[in-house]
Amino acid sequence: MSCPYYWYDNHYACRKSGKDVNEDIYYKYCRNYDYDDCPIYKGQDSTGCFLTSACVEAKGLPDDCHELTVLRSFRENYLRLLPNGPTEIAQYYFIAPQIVSAIKQRNDSLSIFNAIYEQLVKPCVGMIERGENDSAHKLYREKVRQLQLQYLV
């Protein structure tokens, strides 16, 4: 799992914690994907895992599988370029690990991740491949809200 940082408004920010990181933190931890020693991650629930990653992991697929590749490209080449894209990405990277963590605590987590894969990941990948980016964005955003209400409230 790679460290979820990004460059935004002339500074680095941690997508997992929602906190800004200075260059020292970035060069020491983020750039090298060094979760275990990162002071931002210590003491937090550090699954470091997001919905699509958890779903493909449950299916036994690798981190460079087609689904993750398509959705990562979508994030970087579509969502990030929207006016509110970077903010929306940061919000997702704050809430998604919490959703994944809540699901992983359940006995039926594997079936839940498989259902999310079928209801969210697979349809979004198909939409993106057909050029239906707005629809994929809307579906992903709505499903994350549903999951948040279902597992975090």
Side-chain angles (χ1 to χ4, degrees):
M1 175 62 64
S2 62
C3 185
Y5 68 88
Y6 65 102
W7 179 255
Y8 177 69
D9 197 25
N10 295 317
H11 67 277
Y12 292 104
C14 175
R15 289 181 177 149
K16 179 166 175 92
S17 70
K19 298 178 182 177
D20 290 346
V21 295
N22 63 37
E23 284 191 53
D24 292 337
I25 295 289
Y26 166 74
Y27 283 108
K28 188 168 184 180
Y29 304 106
C30 307
R31 188 176 74 171
N32 296 319
Y33 312 115
D34 204 354
Y35 280 129
D36 295 336
D37 297 324
C38 180
I40 293 172
Y41 281 56
K42 282 191 175 183
Q44 292 188 12
D45 175 15
S46 299
T47 61
C49 194
F50 306 108
L51 287 173
T52 303
S53 297
C55 292
V56 300
E57 180 181 295
K59 295 194 99 28
L61 299 172
D63 188 56
D64 63 349
C65 69
H66 178 71
E67 295 87 343
L68 283 170
T69 301
V70 168
L71 287 167
R72 286 173 179 149
S73 176
F74 174 77
R75 178 193 63 212
E76 296 304 316
N77 298 308
Y78 174 78
L79 187 55
R80 187 174 305 287
L81 302 177
L82 295 176
N84 199 32
T87 300
E88 193 172 327
I89 291 168
Q91 290 169 344
Y92 169 78
Y93 274 59
F94 178 75
I95 197 66
Q98 296 174 51
I99 295 169
V100 169
S101 180
I103 293 171
K104 282 186 173 185
Q105 293 176 26
R106 297 175 51 106
N107 291 334
D108 58 347
S109 62
L110 188 59
S111 64
I112 293 169
F113 287 129
N114 282 321
I116 294 169
Y117 177 87
E118 293 297 325
Q119 298 165 6
L120 176 65
V121 176
K122 200 170 160 183
C124 282
V125 168
M127 289 174 191
I128 293 164
E129 290 176 332
R130 291 187 302 273
E132 300 167 6
N133 292 338
D134 289 338
S135 296
H137 179 213
K138 181 179 178 186
L139 175 61
Y140 213 98
R141 189 175 57 234
E142 288 174 359
K143 186 66 174 176
V144 169
R145 283 190 197 128
Q146 290 172 0
L147 293 169
Q148 182 179 5
L149 291 172
Q150 186 173 359
Y151 295 105
L152 298 181
V153 175

